[in-house]
Amino acid sequence: MPVTTRGFTLVTYVATLDVPRHVVDHPSRLPAARQRRIGTPRGSRALGPFRQTVLVLRWFRERAYAHCLARDAGVSKAAAGGLPTPADKGYIDAGTGILIPVHRPKGRSEQALHTDTRTTNNLIRGVRALDERAAAELKQRWPTLQHVTLSPSRIGDIARAALVLNGIWK
């Protein structure tokens, strides 16, 4: 059946996703098992677990725009809540969920901060260092991660998904 938008018929085509089949099969079994466990009725979601996984992998591999992926899959874009995300001081006032180190008082050393604040700063910096290393490794396998244009509060979920896929691929 042809897809029509704004009075125009769009061209549809079939493409091949350039990842090994087991990289799709394994992660698609996880949401399928969860849906069975919690009793989600069959067909109640716009996409089944396999097609959800293909959609995510297309985004990772092809750098496709989210609205194009959603359109191709026949679903609308979801609004997603972000997880706490460690960031550097350049993200001041970036919004809820962005954790940044506290600035030291102007003209004073880091020691001027309360011990708890210094500890929190060190934890944020330590987690960020791990994130930066993982991101550098992931960008080599998943080209879309080199040009992420999403909010920093959403990249945590994406990086975790890429890490899982990397583990499966290896």
Side-chain angles (χ1 to χ4, degrees):
M1 177 138 110
V3 178
T4 306
T5 183
R6 295 186 184 150
F8 296 101
T9 301
L10 302 178
V11 176
T12 59
Y13 62 96
V14 176
T16 301
L17 184 60
D18 65 339
V19 299
R21 175 69 185 225
H22 72 275
V23 173
V24 180
D25 287 339
H26 180 76
S28 70
R29 285 192 293 264
L30 301 174
R34 181 177 186 281
Q35 288 173 12
R36 280 192 304 276
R37 190 172 58 253
I38 65 172
T40 302
R42 224 181 212 331
S44 64
R45 299 192 178 260
L47 296 178
F50 185 86
R51 289 190 60 212
Q52 289 174 17
T53 304
V54 168
L55 185 139
V56 169
L57 287 170
R58 277 191 59 210
W59 183 82
F60 274 120
R61 295 295 289 175
E62 301 170 4
R63 293 180 48 209
Y65 291 106
H67 71 276
C68 293
L69 292 171
R71 180 202 58 224
D72 292 351
V75 296
S76 63
K77 289 194 316 181
L83 294 174
T85 304
D88 62 29
K89 292 177 184 177
Y91 285 91
I92 291 174
D93 297 328
T96 304
I98 305 299
L99 304 176
I100 60 167
V102 174
H103 283 280
R104 61 180 168 78
K106 191 171 187 154
R108 313 254 330 255
S109 74
E110 188 82 10
Q111 297 302 316
L113 296 173
H114 188 274
T115 305
D116 292 345
T117 303
R118 288 195 315 266
T119 302
T120 300
N121 283 355
N122 287 334
L123 289 171
I124 292 170
R125 290 180 186 124
V127 170
R128 273 199 68 248
L130 296 172
D131 290 348
E132 293 291 333
R133 174 70 178 143
E137 290 177 8
L138 293 173
K139 288 176 183 179
Q140 297 306 307
R141 176 160 289 154
W142 307 103
T144 195
L145 295 176
Q146 295 175 11
H147 306 282
V148 173
T149 58
L150 298 172
S151 162
S153 66
R154 295 191 52 205
I155 195 64
D157 290 334
I158 294 164
R160 277 187 289 285
L163 283 168
V164 169
L165 293 169
N166 254 17
I168 296 165
W169 193 308
K170 293 177 183 181

